[in-house]
Amino acid sequence: MDLFAALCQANGMTREERVYMASHRSHDVGFLMRRWHEVAREAGMRVDGLNATSQTAPLALSNLGKGSGGGVYLSAGIHGDEPAAVQGLLQWAEENIPFLKNHPVIIFPCLNPWGLTNNVREDEEGRDLNRCFDQRENELVAWVHHLIEGYRFRVAACLHEDFDAKGVYLYELARRGEHFGQSLLKKLESIIPRHRGRVDGRDLRNGVMRRTRGLKQVAQEIGGMPEAGYLFLNCARTALTFETPSEYSLYRRVRCHVRFLNGIADIVRRTTE
Ligand SMILES: [Zn+2]
């Protein structure tokens, strides 16, 4: 038995988890993009690239023409050092081709491929892309705005990870009277428990930080407009930012993102069909 296998067993991993941890390629952007092209082909989705000549530039998969209301916006990897979000979105998409065929969806599989390759939060120029989502002079932001222009989304979900968190949690931007956060976390807390305590100096309610107003003020306090804030203010009825704690095994973090996205799909089915 090699040292790796021994260490894994000491940590109580299942065989499936050991295989996953030994074989994942979570910072291999070329491999990631090839799998997304396959998802697009199977689901009949259109692919747009920020730079058509690059194999590793940000991609978007969409079929928003399928209906005007009830669209879904999904994104991951705006921070390059949060690989479970990127892997979870891919795994979920590969397992949910029929959903992608039958609902108006746009997916941004990895908004910061350079960051993912290099395992850093910011982009190549040191910018935190999740703090400039209202800045059209930013090439990536302008590209996203262009692709979603004129569409309304029932729900937007932005997938993240947090190095400081001790459990999963969620920022819920929703219209008054609409609550999704608690039921979404309930579906996955058996894999990783909810974070207890504060985040960014604010209290969570059972893992959910909820806001319906004052977003521009929040954006000023944190140093710029995040993706979910922009979407909620401009085109999404609900915008959720889901976070897994980086200290847990990648295998479990990925499974949480997959379950979270299954919950999003349930919301869409329930509210639009
Ligand atoms: Zn993040």
Side-chain angles (χ1 to χ4, degrees), residues 143-164:
W143 175 69
V144 173
H145 286 198
H146 169 68
L147 289 176
I148 63 175
E149 197 159 7
Y151 292 106
R152 307 288 304 171
F153 299 98
R154 175 66 193 86
V155 56
C158 307
L159 307 179
H160 284 256
E161 302 210 81
D162 185 337
F163 281 87
D164 299 319

Side-chain angles (χ1 to χ4, degrees), residues 225-262:
M225 181 61 75
E227 181 186 13
Y230 176 85
L231 296 170
F232 184 67
L233 289 172
N234 291 281
C235 54
R237 184 163 181 83
T238 304
L240 304 166
T241 303
F242 177 57
E243 306 263 0
T244 47
S246 307
E247 280 187 17
Y248 276 77
S249 129
L250 180 68
Y251 173 79
R252 284 210 257 170
R253 286 145 52 203
V254 169
R255 285 180 64 211
C256 283
H257 284 280
V258 172
R259 282 223 192 150
F260 177 77
L261 290 164
N262 280 333

Side-chain angles (χ1 to χ4, degrees), residues 26-27 29 32 80 82-83 86 110 112-120:
S26 62
H27 293 279
V29 170
L32 178 81
E82 302 176 4
V86 175
C110 180
N112 180 7
W114 183 89
L116 186 72
T117 300
N118 293 285
N119 198 25
V120 294

Side-chain angles (χ1 to χ4, degrees), residues 80-253:
D81 55 352
E82 302 176 4
V86 175
Q87 294 300 311
L89 180 53
L90 174 61
Q91 187 174 322
W92 176 82
E94 289 176 339
E95 292 170 1
N96 285 276
I97 298 294
F99 180 88
L100 298 177
K101 279 183 174 168
N102 294 316
H103 295 85
V105 182
I106 188 161
I107 301 177
F108 295 95
C110 180
L111 283 170
N112 180 7
W114 183 89
L116 186 72
T117 300
N118 293 285
N119 198 25
V120 294
R121 177 181 174 97
E122 294 84 7
D123 74 355
E124 202 166 358
E125 288 161 40
R127 296 173 298 199
D128 185 337
L129 296 167
N130 205 32
R131 296 290 181 272
C132 52
F133 228 79
D134 53 354
Q135 295 172 15
R136 277 196 175 248
E137 59 274 24
N138 179 300
E139 186 189 21
L140 175 90
V141 171
W143 175 69
V144 173
H145 286 198
H146 169 68
L147 289 176
I148 63 175
E149 197 159 7
Y151 292 106
R152 307 288 304 171
F153 299 98
R154 175 66 193 86
V155 56
C158 307
L159 307 179
H160 284 256
E161 302 210 81
D162 185 337
F163 281 87
D164 299 319
K166 298 179 183 70
V168 294
Y169 69 94
L170 183 66
Y171 297 93
E172 180 173 48
L173 306 178
R175 309 296 155 182
R176 202 170 289 174
E178 297 187 358
H179 297 261
F180 302 106
Q182 297 297 346
S183 62
L184 284 165
L185 291 184
K186 207 169 187 170
K187 291 176 198 291
L188 53 91
E189 65 186 334
S190 62
I191 305 171
I192 296 178
R194 301 183 198 211
H195 177 75
R196 293 174 188 278
R198 313 189 96 194
V199 170
D200 300 337
R202 291 173 190 272
D203 286 320
L204 300 175
R205 179 173 282 191
N206 220 356
V208 177
M209 191 183 297
R210 186 181 158 82
R211 288 200 85 105
T212 56
R213 303 190 295 175
L215 273 181
K216 287 190 174 153
Q217 172 77 24
V218 172
Q220 272 182 1
E221 286 167 13
I222 63 173
M225 181 61 75
E227 181 186 13
Y230 176 85
L231 296 170
F232 184 67
L233 289 172
N234 291 281
C235 54
R237 184 163 181 83
T238 304
L240 304 166
T241 303
F242 177 57
E243 306 263 0
T244 47
S246 307
E247 280 187 17
Y248 276 77
S249 129
L250 180 68
Y251 173 79
R252 284 210 257 170
R253 286 145 52 203

